[in-house]
Amino acid sequence: MDDKIMQLKKWIDESDNVVFFGGAGVSTESGIPDFRSVDGLYNQKWKYPPETILSHSFFVKYPEEYYRFHREKLVIDGVKPNAAHLKLAELEQAGKLRAVVTQNIDGLHQAAGSKKVLELHGSILRSYCSACGRPYPADKMNRGEGVPRCACGGVIRPDIVLYEEPLDDAVVSEAIRVISGAEVLIIGGTSLNVYPAAGLINYYRGNKLALVNLSETPYDDEADLVIHEKIGKVFSQL
Ligand code: APR
């Protein structure tokens, strides 16, 4: 086993206070493209730039176009948790991992059995009426046709954080609490490009920060351990 993976395994074996902070790269091995890799969502040709479509003002102005993109690109049938998701759930069950803090909206951590999952950007498995707030099963939004509407006439929207929208205060403060108290912080599958999410890792105060990411990130120099490998491959060896 690679020395760096052995070092990460040692930190985890010796700790009962590990926190994971992840992004879209955790789900690519489940068949969900990430955003900024060469074949990522933001590099795919679409009528408007995907970052524009995934914004509050676009959703309000062009809900039909938003939902075309949502059903085509965000909802992927038959995706399953991969080795990374499963290992994190196992570490939580073993009393080692305190929480998963994720930027992902795919629900795969919960599908793998993780209980404490802080979804900084929400989830496409939940939806609600943008007018009266009534919650709706996500299928009406993810599987339907056209713009889903509430009984009140309002547009049903996904429970995700679109660009121009704030993150949920309670989720952010809990993420800060677990990260600032963590003994080991493992960051995986994220380019650490998007704030305020990426800024949360600055609350970590320990000296066991591991970064497991295929490409370089702006935080590589601040990490105590950097592994540029596929996260599923690394986690299956822990
Ligand atoms: N193993 C490890 N790293 C991987 C893997 C893998 N199998 N696949 C991809 N990666 C890495 C890529 O090299 C990239 O650095 O994961 C990172 C994914 O980065 P992004 O595509 O930028 O995704 P993310 O960091 O989650 O984006 C953050 O941006 O648009 C917003 O809301 C969106 O939550 C998203 C946020």
Side-chain angles (χ1 to χ4, degrees):
M1 183 195 289
D2 168 291
D3 292 351
K4 288 185 174 179
I5 298 177
M6 270 172 73
Q7 174 63 75
L8 178 56
K9 184 169 173 18
K10 188 167 178 300
W11 284 354
I12 294 169
D13 289 350
E14 291 167 355
S15 176
D16 65 356
N17 183 0
V18 179
V19 169
F20 180 77
F21 179 98
V26 177
S27 295
T28 51
E29 291 168 69
S30 295
I32 302 178
D34 65 16
F35 294 94
R36 295 174 182 82
S37 287
V38 170
D39 56 351
L41 206 50
Y42 293 166
N43 295 318
Q44 294 174 19
K45 284 288 148 269
W46 194 269
K47 214 164 137 194
Y48 304 86
E51 294 99 308
T52 305
I53 300 174
L54 291 171
S55 70
H56 180 85
S57 40
F58 189 95
F59 179 83
V60 172
K61 221 162 147 194
Y62 308 111
E64 303 79 7
E65 188 62 28
Y66 170 82
Y67 270 108
R68 238 195 303 285
F69 182 85
H70 178 105
R71 290 170 182 137
E72 163 99 14
K73 293 289 174 189
L74 298 187
V75 182
I76 301 178
D77 287 329
V79 290
K80 291 202 175 25
N82 62 54
H85 299 106
L86 295 168
K87 175 57 73 176
L88 288 164
E90 187 192 303
L91 291 175
E92 181 185 51
Q93 275 136 25
K96 293 187 153 303
L97 185 109
R98 299 280 175 93
V100 166
V101 181
T102 185
Q103 299 167 89
N104 295 348
I105 58 175
D106 57 34
L108 286 180
H109 287 294
Q110 293 91 329
S114 288
K115 300 278 178 277
K116 187 162 176 97
V117 181
L118 299 169
E119 293 171 314
L120 296 172
H121 294 159
S123 170
I124 54 166
L125 302 183
R126 296 188 300 270
S127 63
Y128 62 92
C129 172
S130 48
C132 71
R134 175 175 158 182
Y136 274 87
D139 271 6
K140 187 174 166 82
M141 162 185 75
N142 290 337
R143 309 239 173 275
E145 293 286 323
V147 178
R149 288 213 176 255
C150 173
C152 82
V155 172
I156 294 172
R157 60 159 291 165
D159 185 12
I160 62 174
V161 179
L162 296 168
Y163 279 107
E164 303 158 7
E165 294 180 339
L167 274 63
D168 178 295
D169 286 341
V171 175
V172 170
S173 41
E174 181 59 7
I176 291 172
R177 190 185 69 78
V178 296
I179 290 172
S180 51
E183 181 182 8
V184 180
L185 177 64
I186 307 172
I187 301 171
T190 175
S191 63
L192 294 170
N193 255 308
V194 171
Y195 287 78
L200 297 184
I201 65 174
N202 295 318
Y203 287 92
Y204 176 62
R205 296 192 296 242
N207 57 1
K208 293 178 180 161
L209 197 166
L211 226 171
V212 182
N213 201 63
L214 267 184
S215 56
E216 290 208 359
T217 77
Y219 285 83
D220 279 30
D221 298 345
E222 303 188 29
D224 302 296
L225 182 67
V226 179
I227 304 174
H228 286 149
E229 270 290 350
K230 292 183 96 172
I231 190 164
K233 183 170 163 231
V234 172
F235 274 38
S236 50
Q237 297 176 56
L238 294 180

